Amino acid sequence: MSNEETVQQSAASGPSAGSQLKAARESRGLAINDIAKAQHLRPSVIQAIENGDYQQIDTELFLKGYVRAYANHVGLDPKVVLSQLDQELEPLRREKEQAHQASPLVTIEQKKRRKKRIARMILILLFLSLAGFIGYRVFLQGATLESLTSIGQSESGVAAEGEGDRPTADDAGSAPPAPSADEEDGSGTVPVEPAPEPEALAESVQPESESQLEATETNSPEPAEPTVEAAVEEAVTEPEPELEVQQAPDVSPAPVSPSTTEVAATPGNLTAVFKADCWIRVTDANGDLLVSALRRSGQSLDVTGTPPLKVVIGAVDAVDSMSFEGQTLDLGSYRVVNNRAEFSLN
C-alpha cells in the first residue's frame, strides 16, 4: 500500500495527524523552521510528519516521540494525535510484516531455528538416556553387593555353628582312658605294657659308691627347690610393662596472615520518572544491557550497575525527573539532538 493510499484511508476516518499538527502550527503563526529549531530537529523531519511521509523517520518509536513533542508545542492533545497516528501506521505495519514473511532470508532463518530446536531435543533425550543407564548400573551393582554381603553373613553363621560342635582341647583332656589288658574280653588284641613309674626308675639308678655320693653332697650345696607359692608370688609381683603414650603432634592451624581484600566497585543506582512515553536504554561499564524498553506515562525506572552507566533517551521532554546516586540530574546540561540525548554517568 502506497503513502497516498494511507493518507486517503486516514482522511476517510478523519484528519491525519500531520494535517492536525500543520493546522495548529499555522493558526499560531509558526513556520516549519520555528518548530524544527524548538524541537532540535531538521526541517525535513517536520515536513515529512506533516505530509504523512513516515518512512523517512528511522523507527516508529522516534516518530511517536517527535509527534508528541510537536503536539505539545502547538497546544494539541498528544493522546488524540497519537491515536490518529496509530490508525495511519497500521497499514504500513501490515505491509512490512508481509514483506518480512515473504523474504527468503526469513524462511532460511526459520529453518535454522527449527533445526536447532530438533538438535536440542535430541541432545536432551540422549542425556536423559545416559543418565538413566548410569542410574540403572549403579542400582544393579548395589543390589549385587547387597546379595553377596548377605550370602557371606549366612556362610559365616554356618561356620560358627560347625565350630561349636567340634571337641575342644579341654574336652580332649577329659577323654576316658583306654581300657587295660585285664579289661580286654579276649578278642585277640595285644596287651600294652604300662610305662614304668618314675620311682622305679629312680631305684634302678644306683650310685657308683657311697663315698662318692657323700663327697658330692658335702662339696655341692643342695639347691632349694622352688615352691608353687613362690612362683605364683613372683608372677604377681612382676611389674607390668608401662605403655608409652605418644603425644599427638601439634596440628594447630598456622596463623593466617592478614590478606589485603580487594574492594569491589560500588554499583551506581539510576532512577527516573516519566510523564510521557519514552524509549530508554542503559548499559553498565562491563557492556551489560541493564534496560532497553519503552516506558509509558507515569511509569518509573530503577536500575543498578557498575559505573560508568551509558544512558540513551529517545524523548528528553518525556522525562519528568531523573537522579543518579540520590542526586537529581539536569538533563538540560547534556547535549540534546532531535529531542534525543546520550550521556554517561560516573
Side-chain angles (χ1 to χ4, degrees):
M1 181 181 293
S2 62
N3 294 332
E4 296 180 357
E5 294 176 354
T6 305
V7 173
Q8 291 177 1
Q9 184 177 359
S10 61
S13 58
S16 63
S19 61
Q20 294 180 20
L21 295 173
K22 183 178 180 180
R25 175 180 62 80
E26 292 176 349
S27 64
R28 289 175 174 263
L30 298 175
I32 294 178
N33 291 333
D34 298 334
I35 302 297
K37 185 177 181 180
Q39 300 299 326
H40 303 283
L41 297 174
R42 297 189 304 272
S44 59
V45 175
I46 302 299
Q47 190 172 3
I49 293 174
E50 292 181 353
N51 295 335
D53 192 5
Y54 304 131
Q55 293 181 351
Q56 293 187 12
I57 313 300
D58 295 336
T59 61
E60 182 178 336
L61 182 63
F62 287 165
L63 173 62
K64 288 184 176 181
Y66 300 157
V67 170
R68 183 185 298 104
Y70 193 173
N72 287 327
H73 190 77
V74 296
L76 295 179
D77 187 0
K79 295 182 179 179
V80 176
V81 178
L82 289 176
S83 176
Q84 180 63 31
L85 180 64
D86 282 333
Q87 295 179 5
E88 298 177 20
L89 292 177
E90 187 61 29
L92 295 177
R93 294 172 187 158
R94 294 176 183 174
E95 183 178 354
K96 289 181 179 180
E97 184 66 23
Q98 291 176 358
H100 181 71
Q101 293 294 336
S103 176
L105 295 177
V106 175
T107 305
I108 295 173
E109 187 67 23
Q110 290 176 353
K111 290 181 179 180
K112 288 182 178 179
R113 291 179 181 175
R114 189 181 299 109
K115 290 180 180 179
K116 288 181 180 179
R117 286 196 298 267
I118 294 173
R120 190 181 299 110
M121 291 298 297
I122 293 174
L123 289 176
I124 292 173
L125 292 176
L126 289 176
F127 176 76
L128 293 177
S129 302
L130 181 60
F133 177 73
I134 293 174
Y136 173 74
R137 291 295 300 273
V138 171
F139 174 76
L140 187 62
Q141 290 178 359
T144 305
L145 182 60
E146 185 178 357
S147 61
L148 291 176
T149 304
S150 60
I151 292 172
Q153 291 177 355
S154 61
E155 289 180 354
S156 61
V158 172
E161 291 179 359
E163 290 179 358
D165 296 339
R166 294 178 184 176
T168 60
D170 297 337
D171 297 338
S174 62
S180 62
D182 298 335
E183 295 177 356
E184 291 294 338
D185 53 353
S187 58
T189 58
V190 179
V192 179
E193 295 182 359
E197 296 182 359
E199 296 178 356
L201 290 175
E203 293 177 356
S204 61
V205 178
Q206 297 179 359
E208 296 178 356
S209 63
E210 294 180 1
S211 59
Q212 293 177 359
L213 181 58
E214 290 176 1
T216 305
E217 289 177 357
T218 49
N219 294 332
S220 61
E222 187 176 357
E225 297 181 0
T227 60
V228 177
E229 290 81 358
V232 172
E233 218 174 64
E234 184 180 359
V236 171
T237 58
E238 184 179 358
E240 296 181 358
E242 296 182 358
L243 297 177
E244 294 184 1
V245 180
Q246 295 182 358
Q247 187 176 2
D250 188 10
V251 291
S252 58
V256 181
S257 61
S259 59
T260 58
T261 57
E262 296 181 1
V263 180
T266 305
N269 179 253
L270 176 66
T271 59
V273 179
F274 301 91
K275 60 184 178 180
D277 296 348
C278 177
W279 176 84
I280 185 170
R281 181 179 66 188
V282 182
T283 55
D284 63 358
N286 301 325
D288 297 334
L289 183 62
L290 302 181
V291 65
S292 177
L294 176 66
R295 287 293 188 268
R296 300 292 183 180
S297 176
Q299 292 183 349
S300 61
L301 174 70
D302 188 354
V303 295
T304 302
T306 305
L309 302 181
K310 185 176 180 181
V311 184
V312 180
I313 303 176
V316 177
D317 57 357
V319 180
D320 190 7
S321 64
M322 178 174 290
S323 61
F324 180 70
E325 291 296 328
Q327 297 182 0
T328 304
L329 301 179
D330 183 12
L331 298 182
S333 61
Y334 299 105
R335 183 171 178 267
V336 179
V337 179
N338 294 337
N339 200 24
R340 182 178 182 271
E342 182 175 351
F343 51 89
S344 298
L345 298 174
N346 294 323

